[in-house]
Amino acid sequence: MLENADKVFYPKSIALIGASTKENTLSRTIFTNLIEGGYKGILYPVNPKAESILGVKCYPSVTSIPDSVDLAIIVIPSNYIPASLEECGKKGIKGIIIISAGFKEVGGEGVVLEKQVVEIIKKYDMALIGPNCLGVINPDSKSSMNAAFGKFMPKPGNIAFITQSGALGTAILDYAKGLNIGFSKFVSMGNKAGLKEMDLLKYLKDDPVTKVIIMYVEDMSNPREFLKVASEINDDVNNMKPIVAMKSGRTAEGAKAASSHTGALAGSDEMYEALFNQCGVIRANTVEELLDVSLAFAHMPIPRGNRVCIVTNAGGPGIMTTDAAIKFGLQLAKLDPATITELRKKLPPTSNFNNPIDVIGDAQHDRYEWALEHIMKDKNVDCVIVLLTPQSVTDVEEIATSVVKCVKGTKIPVLACFMGIVDVSKGIDILKENNIPVYRFPEEAAMTMSVMYKYGQNVFAPKTEVIQFKADKAAALKVIEKAKKDGRKYLPELESLEVFNAYGFPTLKSFLCPTSEEAAKRANEIGYPVVMKIVSPDIIHKIDVKGVKVGLESELEVKGAYAEMMQNVKILKPEAKIWGVNIQQCAKRGEEVIVGAKRDDSFGPLIMFGLGGSFVEVMKDVSFSIAPVRLSMAQKMIRSVKTYKILEGVRGKPACDTDAIADCICRLSQLMMECEDIAEVDMNPIIVHAKGQGCKLADARIILK
Amino acid sequence: MLENADKVFYPKSIALIGASTKENTLSRTIFTNLIEGGYKGILYPVNPKAESILGVKCYPSVTSIPDSVDLAIIVIPSNYIPASLEECGKKGIKGIIIISAGFKEVGGEGVVLEKQVVEIIKKYDMALIGPNCLGVINPDSKSSMNAAFGKFMPKPGNIAFITQSGALGTAILDYAKGLNIGFSKFVSMGNKAGLKEMDLLKYLKDDPVTKVIIMYVEDMSNPREFLKVASEINDDVNNMKPIVAMKSGRTAEGAKAASSHTGALAGSDEMYEALFNQCGVIRANTVEELLDVSLAFAHMPIPRGNRVCIVTNAGGPGIMTTDAAIKFGLQLAKLDPATITELRKKLPPTSNFNNPIDVIGDAQHDRYEWALEHIMKDKNVDCVIVLLTPQSVTDVEEIATSVVKCVKGTKIPVLACFMGIVDVSKGIDILKENNIPVYRFPEEAAMTMSVMYKYGQNVFAPKTEVIQFKADKAAALKVIEKAKKDGRKYLPELESLEVFNAYGFPTLKSFLCPTSEEAAKRANEIGYPVVMKIVSPDIIHKIDVKGVKVGLESELEVKGAYAEMMQNVKILKPEAKIWGVNIQQCAKRGEEVIVGAKRDDSFGPLIMFGLGGSFVEVMKDVSFSIAPVRLSMAQKMIRSVKTYKILEGVRGKPACDTDAIADCICRLSQLMMECEDIAEVDMNPIIVHAKGQGCKLADARIILK
């Protein structure tokens, strides 16, 4: 299907099925859009009732077209579409765009129709966009195809835009026109019955005119496949194509609106966040961010570091931009003394020569040019933000021209903000025409620079492979099989421990003791203090039934605790089957962390990390990753929680052994990948000791599917 | 000084001192700005070397002007200014604007000159704006005075703008022109040698044409006075004037840039945050927010609640807006079934009748009008956001006209976002002309609505008075005096306790015991377990010298601990003078919180609240307030930390006695107000019990100035 995507984007000939003689219809709009867009191939309108449309000869059906056809654009009522598709198939048409609505999104018969469409496109190996979409635009001069019913054709550029909302597509095209943003491809995916976001990513990966990919999605057809494709794109540093995605339905309410809108069942937001993080996709929170960031990627190189230099003709905006830059993770570059010496030669003595460089309110283009030229050569500067306020003598257009001159062919990114709307407009136009990203407000420029920096850090960071640990998979599966046979969904602690031992987790010495005597014997063996926990297939929350005793210091205490526990459980959970108690080595003190896993139907196994305690629970300060998890990703998960500093050691405590935690995360990832019957794992807490001293699973449980 | 502010804003006559015959000079720009702006009074250019300027008769000095003069605008070199001011004083001129630079901001002689200026304006009781500023504009048709060297006169409106950065002022005027925002007053404060932000606030409070006050500040001359004035404005619900402030220098780097820029020493950001919070000033984080929010306040009523209804012609943008609205603290309104019945009458059946209301892509103005009309009447709706995407049949201008019609005279706020730039521009213009706030991106509209909602909640919330507790101030002062006499800056725990007892804090029973025997005796008296702590004027961090023992269960343990502690301290801090140990009642278990205070030179005493433990320390999750603290503010401080949920009870724990914490905060506020020698207080931890069961100061210390 994907191999025929070129027929959709670069067709030599197009059949417009349902071409109408009436004005103000969708098909007529598409017809004129194609003609006015300067489409480079041959266009065949298909309409059994018309001889010609706007002077172009009409054909009664696709089969009656004398030549071969690459792409069919279908704009007829949905119930006629399966038959029409069959004809296209027989004609050998491999590219299809279905504009018409009336499919999955209306429910009932529409769902049936969409299934028929899917079957037919599979049968004929067609590349399909839609149904229920705005269409496809390829502004690339090789094709110049405007096969959409938007109001105009965007200018050619290097940004590909994929959208699940046609209406947002029209809005973005309109913003882009105002901002002078050009596109390499525009695809309104509609119901995604054929090509989906991951297929389009695959296609765009090798599209030579696409440099940046932006997308708006409400759900994802196959997140794991998307992860794979997007990772491939991001790992290919020689063919860098940043992907910027906006995924709506972040909040529960938003997700509800999403499902009532497209019938799509949106996955939970944390999973998408993990997905994007993991494959280096930049997530835009707002439409503004989507545009801001893609514009910068389209025209500027990636910064090597986060040292920004700000050039301004006014102090106040310089301070604001500094505030924003620091907030977003940049730092102010310290200029080389040689640069400052140069700057002093032509800037007035009242200038500020410490970053932000203030060329003073009466600056004209010569000062901006001098400052920029020298700053951009400074090896301590990774990126530049140029600010301008329209003061009384400011020669806005000349300054814009100077910026263009300085920035041409730059190896470090330069973003501009000419503050204002009216007085600065001509300067802004000059910048736009010359592909210098220019922002309305200084904070936007700072945010965008920071996103570029973080993207670079991520892309250039060395990535480790997924570790394959030696594990006794068979032993683990045996435990799981037994539980399944018994019809149990929950593995009691000791069974869970067998599984964890099989995968080499650092567990505590532990013995199932069916009697008080056995418990005392094992406690003597392990050495005091010990912990005693109730063992029952029917008890998940042991504390709730007073089924945990810690710090038992002698044989006597062990026996006393045993008797007490049995009595407690009998009262609090009389129906529970009791297998005995677990006598466990006592963990040394340390920081408590949580590592967990959950299997999702579409995302597969997710691994979670967080610090222990109620604070973290309340603040939801956890990080997720989709298995398999590379070691570098596991380390990133640990570093990315807000409470990470605690693991680095606070109040004189030593730094924790985060390598040992990362090891647990990777092992858990492998366990989830290999034992598909496991639904959830909860290792809470893992006690982490000082660097080099490892960690111990103090409590952990496994739930089966 | 302030009583003459009217002479600055509504002068009947102006002397322009330094009026130049040369073009492209500051004074000439001001001259033409006054003339072209249509100034309603009489303008007297003053220049000893010219007969006339642009046909207007010149005077050699202010004294030679035959009539009385209200305002002098001074644009001559700084070293001539004191003499010129003296002349103005003698002439009886009470309003002064000094445009010229060359004062405090250049250091050295400039500082001296500025001091002279301050003395002269005091002597003659003049109202001064500047020096080193862009000037003052009063677009109010009664004055129509453009006494600034910006490029144009803004249109009249109800927003007053005060700025510490002239350049930002020019930028804001330019944004405002593009966005069709009108102003009631515009003041560039410059060095603030005369009227400062708090004086201007006082003036604007009674200015009938001002409805919203926006300000940009880098530092504040007198935060406590500002707090008072801003609180007065916010407490006057019959004369509501929202204040929106942007304070730059948020980050340490930004603050550094601020001090090199204006020579102003910016206070730390947390204090400003507390200040704004406390007096209901809305803090804008970006220029965009400043404009977005003030535009809405200028033209829309305050929402009664946070139930928003979104009307859209496209699903995707509806979802995005929902996401943003929820994120910012709004909730989706649930429409009354009667409203839905009405909507169904004229909207197509495929519309979404659950908020967000989707009138579908082919909607024209009639559907928007129908939907808006009925939604705005629904008693479950507090506010409305109208979205539009420019689809093929969208009649943008007609829809804008319908929105204007529906919103006219509305009692609930309506904000609009017509997505795009080019196709939607004419519709946007219609909205702007009719004062419907319209935003470029949907998330801006959601953010703005949320800010309005929170402002309303704050303004309409009942405010308690500052409680005056019965306290033994004399006893407290006695302890403090004694320490001062001894030259001690640090009150050991037992002395601190005396002070806390004098102010009625819930302290634990505690006795200073100079000997082991005394310790044992007191422990028996209090009842076990007890805590033992070293008492020394030289030891602040007792744990560092192993000077704390908890959970002592018997006389024997007390005696043993005493011996051990003395030995530890001798080794770890041999030079410390030891007064004995403190034997203290053991606090029952509970949540640990921190309450503290710090006296700042310009903000006065600040009270801090946070939860205990390293998590909170690492996350800096604390709230501040400036003393005196009202009870309602203390409660707000407690609620506003992110970890507040923990106090509400998690994992089955009962809710904490937050009233008892609020009581401590208020008492500490009073203590700090009454005992001015206290520099810092640290109550860490306070153990809080379940609701109704109070709290106990488990450890606390006082540091003197």
Side-chain angles (χ1 to χ4, degrees):
Chain A
M1 176 157 86
L2 182 62
E3 60 273 24
N4 287 317
D6 244 8
K7 304 285 186 203
V8 171
F9 293 106
Y10 292 93
K12 292 206 182 74
S13 51
I14 299 176
L16 179 61
I17 300 173
S20 173
T21 51
K22 282 183 220 143
E23 279 186 50
N24 291 323
T25 56
L26 289 189
S27 65
R28 171 61 83 83
T29 307
I30 293 175
F31 185 84
T32 51
N33 276 349
L34 280 164
I35 299 285
E36 286 169 11
Y39 169 54
K40 297 283 169 71
I42 307 165
L43 178 58
Y44 300 103
V46 175
N47 181 339
K49 291 176 189 158
E51 293 261 309
S52 73
I53 294 175
L54 294 175
V56 181
K57 178 179 160 60
C58 254
Y59 294 83
S61 67
V62 286
T63 44
S64 62
I65 298 171
D67 308 299
S68 73
V69 173
D70 283 345
L71 170 66
I73 303 169
I74 306 181
V75 204
I76 57 178
S78 56
N79 48 333
Y80 297 111
I81 288 181
S84 172
L85 269 182
E86 275 288 349
E87 272 195 5
C88 291
K90 281 171 193 153
K91 171 79 182 166
I93 301 177
K94 296 295 181 193
I96 306 284
I97 300 171
I98 304 177
I99 302 289
S100 318
F103 291 90
K104 194 177 74 182
E105 80 284 2
V106 297
E109 205 200 344
V111 177
V112 179
L113 276 173
E114 189 157 321
K115 274 190 190 151
Q116 288 173 10
V117 165
V118 171
E119 274 162 31
I120 300 168
I121 63 152
K122 270 194 192 148
K123 179 167 136 195
Y124 293 104
D125 194 26
M126 292 156 158
L128 165 72
I129 297 290
N132 184 26
C133 73
L134 189 76
V136 173
I137 306 177
N138 183 1
D140 182 1
S141 61
K142 279 191 205 151
S143 181
S144 283
M145 177 188 76
N146 186 357
F149 62 90
K151 288 195 180 169
F152 51 82
M153 173 90 163
K155 72 166 205 171
N158 56 16
I159 301 174
F161 178 42
I162 304 170
T163 177
Q164 194 170 348
S165 160
L168 182 72
T170 59
I172 293 275
L173 287 178
D174 200 32
Y175 286 122
K177 193 172 181 185
L179 300 169
N180 202 40
I181 294 178
F183 290 101
S184 59
K185 302 284 176 292
F186 170 93
V187 185
S188 162
M189 295 189 291
N191 291 2
K192 307 194 285 191
L195 297 181
K196 303 171 205 320
E197 53 280 339
M198 63 203 170
D199 305 309
L200 292 165
L201 277 193
K202 277 183 207 160
Y203 179 78
L204 294 169
K205 181 179 187 304
D206 300 319
D207 178 33
V209 289
T210 295
K211 201 183 146 193
V212 184
I213 300 166
I214 68 177
M215 48 199 299
Y216 169 78
V217 287
E218 289 168 3
D219 69 341
M220 244 177 222
S221 309
N222 187 340
R224 290 192 75 83
E225 185 69 17
F226 179 89
L227 177 66
K228 199 169 145 257
V229 182
S231 297
E232 270 169 34
I233 294 178
N234 269 303
D235 290 352
D236 187 358
V237 287
N238 299 317
N239 181 25
M240 272 208 292
K241 296 192 180 185
I243 304 169
V244 188
M246 184 164 183
K247 157 80 180 72
S248 68
R250 293 198 81 134
T251 54
E253 282 81 354
K256 201 174 137 202
S259 55
S260 75
H261 172 51
T262 58
L265 221 161
S268 91
D269 198 61
E270 286 74 18
M271 296 195 221
Y272 280 105
E273 195 75 27
L275 174 67
F276 292 144
N277 259 327
Q278 206 158 341
C279 55
V281 168
I282 297 152
R283 186 167 190 181
N285 295 303
T286 64
V287 181
E288 191 173 16
E289 259 181 62
L290 191 72
L291 292 165
D292 283 353
V293 168
S294 53
L295 181 62
F297 278 123
H299 299 302
M300 283 292 148
I302 309 294
R304 295 162 306 198
N306 68 345
R307 299 167 306 172
V308 64
C309 184
I310 299 165
V311 182
T312 178
N313 68 346
I319 305 171
M320 287 175 197
T321 312
T322 302
D323 279 351
I326 303 296
K327 180 182 150 198
F328 291 123
L330 301 177
Q331 53 168 307
L332 287 186
K334 280 195 180 161
L335 293 193
D336 191 303
T339 307
I340 296 177
T341 308
E342 280 305 307
L343 292 180
R344 284 191 190 279
K345 286 184 185 163
K346 294 215 183 166
L347 298 184
T350 48
S351 298
N352 190 355
F353 297 99
N354 287 316
N355 194 3
I357 306 300
D358 187 347
V359 295
I360 306 295
D362 59 348
Q364 298 206 316
H365 67 282
D366 53 328
R367 284 196 211 153
Y368 268 96
E369 199 168 317
W370 185 257
L372 268 178
E373 227 172 59
H374 291 91
I375 286 159
M376 290 176 66
K377 273 190 245 161
D378 192 314
K379 61 183 189 319
N380 296 338
V381 174
D382 296 319
C383 50
V384 176
I385 294 175
V386 185
L387 302 178
L388 174 146
T389 54
Q391 302 194 42
S392 53
V393 297
T394 311
D395 53 345
V396 179
E397 287 162 73
E398 285 79 359
I399 293 172
T401 308
S402 288
V403 172
V404 169
K405 195 176 133 194
C406 293
V407 174
K408 192 152 261 177
T410 179
K411 285 198 173 124
I412 67 169
V414 180
L415 305 180
C417 173
F418 279 23
M419 293 179 75
I421 294 177
V422 182
D423 267 2
V424 291
S425 65
K426 282 186 184 162
I428 288 175
D429 287 344
I430 293 171
L431 295 174
K432 278 182 190 166
E433 278 155 25
N434 288 280
N435 294 329
I436 310 286
V438 53
Y439 298 94
R440 209 176 221 193
F441 298 102
E443 296 88 356
E444 281 179 80
M447 178 279 294
T448 302
M449 194 65 91
S450 138
V451 170
M452 290 184 93
Y453 158 68
K454 285 175 188 160
Y455 173 79
Q457 290 300 101
N458 190 23
V459 163
F460 297 125
K463 278 176 200 72
T464 58
E465 290 308 303
V466 172
I467 303 170
Q468 189 63 34
F469 295 97
K470 258 199 206 166
D472 190 350
K473 183 176 162 184
L477 289 179
K478 206 177 130 196
V479 176
I480 293 166
E481 282 311 317
K482 181 174 176 296
K484 277 178 70 183
K485 225 190 235 162
D486 297 356
R488 287 183 284 119
K489 291 224 165 236
Y490 158 67
L491 294 191
E493 192 173 7
L494 282 169
E495 281 187 2
S496 295
L497 275 176
E498 277 185 66
V499 174
F500 295 136
N501 282 331
Y503 274 79
F505 285 92
T507 54
L508 292 163
K509 263 186 233 161
S510 226
F511 299 95
L512 169 62
C513 307
T515 65
S516 179
E517 285 67 36
E518 179 77 9
K521 193 189 129 202
R522 290 299 195 180
N524 285 332
E525 229 174 281
I526 292 171
Y528 294 96
V530 296
V531 177
M532 180 186 290
K533 297 176 192 167
I534 196 78
V535 179
S536 158
D538 304 317
I539 297 169
I540 298 189
H541 298 288
K542 294 183 278 279
I543 288 182
D544 296 351
V545 296
K546 298 191 179 169
V548 179
K549 278 272 180 187
V550 297
L552 301 176
E553 294 278 6
S554 66
E555 194 176 320
L556 197 71
E557 281 186 36
V558 167
K559 285 184 173 168
Y562 185 93
E564 200 183 324
M565 194 174 287
M566 290 302 154
Q567 190 152 7
N568 282 335
V569 174
K570 206 177 276 172
I571 295 164
L572 294 167
K573 190 121 182 173
E575 76 284 7
K577 205 191 290 176
I578 306 299
W579 290 356
V581 298
N582 177 9
I583 292 293
Q584 197 170 56
Q585 183 187 2
C586 212
K588 277 186 299 173
R589 272 171 176 268
E591 286 299 337
E592 297 193 355
V593 304
I594 306 172
V595 173
K598 189 190 158 175
R599 192 178 302 275
D600 179 82
D601 284 344
S602 53
F603 283 78
L606 249 88
I607 312 295
M608 189 202 80
F609 166 76
L611 266 73
S614 4
F615 282 108
V616 175
E617 206 169 285
V618 166
M619 317 272 293
K620 296 198 173 51
D621 181 27
V622 291
S623 58
F624 290 92
S625 209
I626 296 166
V629 180
R630 307 173 192 207
L631 181 59
S632 51
M633 191 64 213
Q635 287 159 339
K636 199 174 159 188
M637 281 173 75
I638 298 168
R639 281 194 308 271
S640 68
V641 297
K642 294 190 201 86
T643 38
Y644 172 63
K645 273 190 192 165
I646 290 176
L647 299 181
E648 285 184 306
V650 285
R651 292 182 168 177
K653 285 189 196 171
C656 288
D657 196 337
T658 48
D659 290 343
I661 308 173
D663 186 83
C664 284
I665 291 174
C666 293
R667 282 179 196 275
L668 183 55
S669 156
Q670 183 173 335
L671 173 63
M672 292 300 287
M673 293 300 288
E674 291 180 353
C675 300
E676 297 195 344
D677 283 316
I678 299 180
E680 280 180 48
V681 175
D682 208 2
M683 302 179 168
N684 182 13
I686 295 179
I687 311 282
V688 193
H689 305 300
K691 235 175 217 340
Q693 295 178 30
C695 66
K696 290 279 185 192
L697 264 68
D699 199 0
R701 59 195 174 107
I702 294 175
I703 294 173
L704 303 180
K705 279 207 284 196
Chain B
M1 176 157 85
L2 182 62
E3 59 273 25
N4 287 317
D6 245 7
K7 304 285 185 202
V8 171
F9 293 108
Y10 292 93
K12 294 207 181 72
S13 52
I14 299 176
L16 179 62
I17 301 175
S20 174
T21 51
K22 282 183 220 141
E23 280 186 50
N24 290 324
T25 57
L26 289 189
S27 65
R28 172 59 83 84
T29 307
I30 293 174
F31 185 83
T32 50
N33 276 349
L34 280 163
I35 300 285
E36 286 170 11
Y39 169 55
K40 296 282 167 70
I42 308 166
L43 179 59
Y44 301 103
V46 175
N47 181 339
K49 291 177 190 156
E51 294 261 309
S52 73
I53 292 174
L54 293 175
V56 181
K57 178 179 160 62
C58 254
Y59 295 82
S61 66
V62 285
T63 44
S64 62
I65 298 172
D67 308 299
S68 74
V69 173
D70 284 345
L71 170 66
I73 303 169
I74 306 182
V75 204
I76 57 179
S78 55
N79 48 333
Y80 297 112
I81 288 181
S84 172
L85 270 181
E86 275 289 350
E87 274 195 4
C88 290
K90 282 170 193 154
K91 172 78 183 164
I93 301 177
K94 296 294 182 194
I96 306 284
I97 299 171
I98 304 178
I99 302 287
S100 317
F103 291 90
K104 193 176 73 180
E105 81 284 1
V106 298
E109 205 202 341
V111 177
V112 180
L113 277 173
E114 189 156 322
K115 275 188 188 152
Q116 289 172 9
V117 165
V118 172
E119 274 161 32
I120 301 167
I121 64 151
K122 271 193 191 149
K123 181 167 135 197
Y124 293 104
D125 194 26
M126 293 157 156
L128 164 71
I129 297 289
N132 183 26
C133 74
L134 189 75
V136 173
I137 306 175
N138 183 0
D140 181 1
S141 61
K142 280 191 205 150
S143 180
S144 283
M145 177 189 74
N146 186 358
F149 61 91
K151 289 194 180 169
F152 51 80
M153 173 91 161
K155 71 167 206 172
N158 55 16
I159 301 174
F161 179 40
I162 305 170
T163 176
Q164 193 170 347
S165 159
L168 183 72
T170 60
I172 294 276
L173 288 178
D174 200 32
Y175 286 122
K177 192 173 183 186
L179 300 169
N180 203 40
I181 295 178
F183 290 101
S184 61
K185 301 285 177 289
F186 170 95
V187 185
S188 162
M189 296 188 291
N191 291 3
K192 309 194 282 191
L195 297 182
K196 302 170 205 322
E197 53 281 341
M198 61 204 171
D199 305 308
L200 293 165
L201 278 193
K202 277 183 206 158
Y203 179 78
L204 295 169
K205 181 177 184 307
D206 301 318
D207 179 33
V209 288
T210 294
K211 202 184 145 192
V212 184
I213 301 166
I214 68 176
M215 49 198 299
Y216 169 79
V217 288
E218 289 168 5
D219 69 340
M220 244 176 222
S221 309
N222 188 340
R224 290 193 75 84
E225 185 68 16
F226 178 90
L227 176 66
K228 199 168 145 259
V229 183
S231 297
E232 270 169 36
I233 295 178
N234 269 304
D235 290 352
D236 186 358
V237 288
N238 299 317
N239 181 23
M240 270 209 293
K241 297 193 180 183
I243 304 170
V244 189
M246 184 165 182
K247 157 81 180 71
S248 69
R250 293 197 81 132
T251 55
E253 282 82 353
K256 202 174 136 201
S259 55
S260 75
H261 171 50
T262 58
L265 222 162
S268 91
D269 197 62
E270 285 75 17
M271 297 195 221
Y272 280 105
E273 195 75 28
L275 174 67
F276 292 143
N277 259 327
Q278 206 157 340
C279 54
V281 168
I282 297 152
R283 185 166 192 182
N285 294 302
T286 64
V287 181
E288 191 173 16
E289 260 181 61
L290 191 72
L291 293 165
D292 283 353
V293 168
S294 53
L295 181 63
F297 279 123
H299 300 302
M300 284 291 148
I302 310 293
R304 298 162 302 197
N306 69 345
R307 299 167 305 171
V308 63
C309 183
I310 299 165
V311 183
T312 178
N313 68 345
I319 304 171
M320 286 176 198
T321 312
T322 302
D323 278 350
I326 303 297
K327 179 182 150 196
F328 291 122
L330 302 176
Q331 54 167 307
L332 288 185
K334 278 193 183 163
L335 294 194
D336 191 301
T339 308
I340 297 177
T341 308
E342 280 305 308
L343 292 180
R344 283 190 191 279
K345 286 184 185 163
K346 293 215 184 166
L347 298 184
T350 49
S351 297
N352 190 357
F353 296 99
N354 287 316
N355 194 2
I357 307 299
D358 187 347
V359 294
I360 306 294
D362 58 348
Q364 298 206 317
H365 67 282
D366 53 327
R367 284 195 209 154
Y368 268 95
E369 202 169 314
W370 185 258
L372 268 176
E373 228 171 59
H374 290 92
I375 286 159
M376 289 176 65
K377 273 189 248 163
D378 191 315
K379 62 182 190 317
N380 296 338
V381 173
D382 297 318
C383 50
V384 176
I385 295 175
V386 184
L387 302 178
L388 174 147
T389 54
Q391 302 193 43
S392 54
V393 298
T394 312
D395 52 346
V396 179
E397 287 162 74
E398 285 81 358
I399 293 173
T401 308
S402 288
V403 172
V404 169
K405 196 176 133 194
C406 292
V407 174
K408 191 153 261 175
T410 178
K411 284 197 175 126
I412 67 169
V414 179
L415 305 179
C417 172
F418 279 22
M419 295 179 75
I421 295 177
V422 182
D423 267 2
V424 290
S425 65
K426 282 185 184 162
I428 289 175
D429 287 345
I430 293 171
L431 295 174
K432 279 184 191 165
E433 277 154 26
N434 288 282
N435 293 330
I436 310 287
V438 53
Y439 298 93
R440 210 177 220 193
F441 297 102
E443 296 89 357
E444 281 178 81
M447 180 278 295
T448 302
M449 194 65 90
S450 137
V451 169
M452 291 184 94
Y453 159 66
K454 285 174 189 160
Y455 172 78
Q457 291 300 103
N458 190 24
V459 164
F460 297 123
K463 278 176 201 73
T464 58
E465 289 307 302
V466 173
I467 303 171
Q468 191 63 32
F469 295 98
K470 260 201 207 164
D472 189 350
K473 184 176 163 185
L477 288 178
K478 206 177 128 195
V479 176
I480 293 167
E481 282 310 316
K482 182 174 177 295
K484 276 178 71 183
K485 225 190 238 163
D486 297 356
R488 287 183 283 120
K489 292 222 165 241
Y490 158 68
L491 294 191
E493 191 172 9
L494 282 169
E495 281 186 4
S496 295
L497 275 176
E498 278 185 65
V499 175
F500 295 136
N501 283 330
Y503 275 79
F505 285 92
T507 55
L508 291 164
K509 262 187 234 162
S510 227
F511 299 95
L512 169 62
C513 307
T515 64
S516 180
E517 285 66 35
E518 179 76 8
K521 192 188 130 205
R522 289 300 195 179
N524 286 331
E525 228 175 283
I526 292 171
Y528 295 95
V530 296
V531 177
M532 179 186 291
K533 296 176 192 168
I534 196 79
V535 179
S536 159
D538 305 317
I539 296 169
I540 298 188
H541 298 287
K542 294 183 277 280
I543 287 183
D544 296 352
V545 296
K546 297 189 179 170
V548 178
K549 278 271 181 186
V550 297
L552 302 175
E553 294 278 4
S554 65
E555 194 176 320
L556 198 71
E557 279 186 38
V558 167
K559 286 185 173 169
Y562 186 92
E564 201 184 322
M565 194 175 285
M566 290 302 153
Q567 189 153 9
N568 283 334
V569 174
K570 203 177 277 174
I571 296 165
L572 293 167
K573 190 120 180 175
E575 77 284 7
K577 206 190 291 177
I578 306 299
W579 290 356
V581 299
N582 177 10
I583 292 293
Q584 196 170 57
Q585 184 186 2
C586 212
K588 276 186 300 172
R589 272 169 177 269
E591 286 299 337
E592 298 193 355
V593 304
I594 305 173
V595 172
K598 190 191 158 173
R599 191 178 303 276
D600 178 81
D601 284 344
S602 53
F603 283 78
L606 249 90
I607 312 296
M608 189 201 81
F609 166 76
L611 266 74
S614 7
F615 282 109
V616 176
E617 204 169 285
V618 165
M619 317 274 292
K620 297 197 172 52
D621 182 27
V622 292
S623 57
F624 290 92
S625 211
I626 296 166
V629 180
R630 308 174 190 207
L631 180 59
S632 51
M633 190 66 212
Q635 286 159 340
K636 199 173 159 189
M637 281 174 75
I638 297 169
R639 278 195 309 270
S640 68
V641 297
K642 294 190 201 85
T643 38
Y644 172 63
K645 273 190 193 167
I646 289 175
L647 298 181
E648 285 185 306
V650 285
R651 290 183 169 178
K653 285 189 195 169
C656 288
D657 196 337
T658 48
D659 290 345
I661 308 173
D663 185 82
C664 284
I665 291 173
C666 293
R667 284 180 194 273
L668 184 55
S669 157
Q670 183 174 336
L671 174 63
M672 291 301 287
M673 292 301 288
E674 293 181 353
C675 300
E676 296 195 346
D677 282 316
I678 299 180
E680 281 178 48
V681 174
D682 208 2
M683 302 180 167
N684 182 12
I686 295 179
I687 310 282
V688 193
H689 305 300
K691 234 173 219 344
Q693 296 179 28
C695 65
K696 288 281 185 191
L697 263 67
D699 199 1
R701 59 194 175 107
I702 293 176
I703 293 172
L704 303 179
K705 279 208 282 196

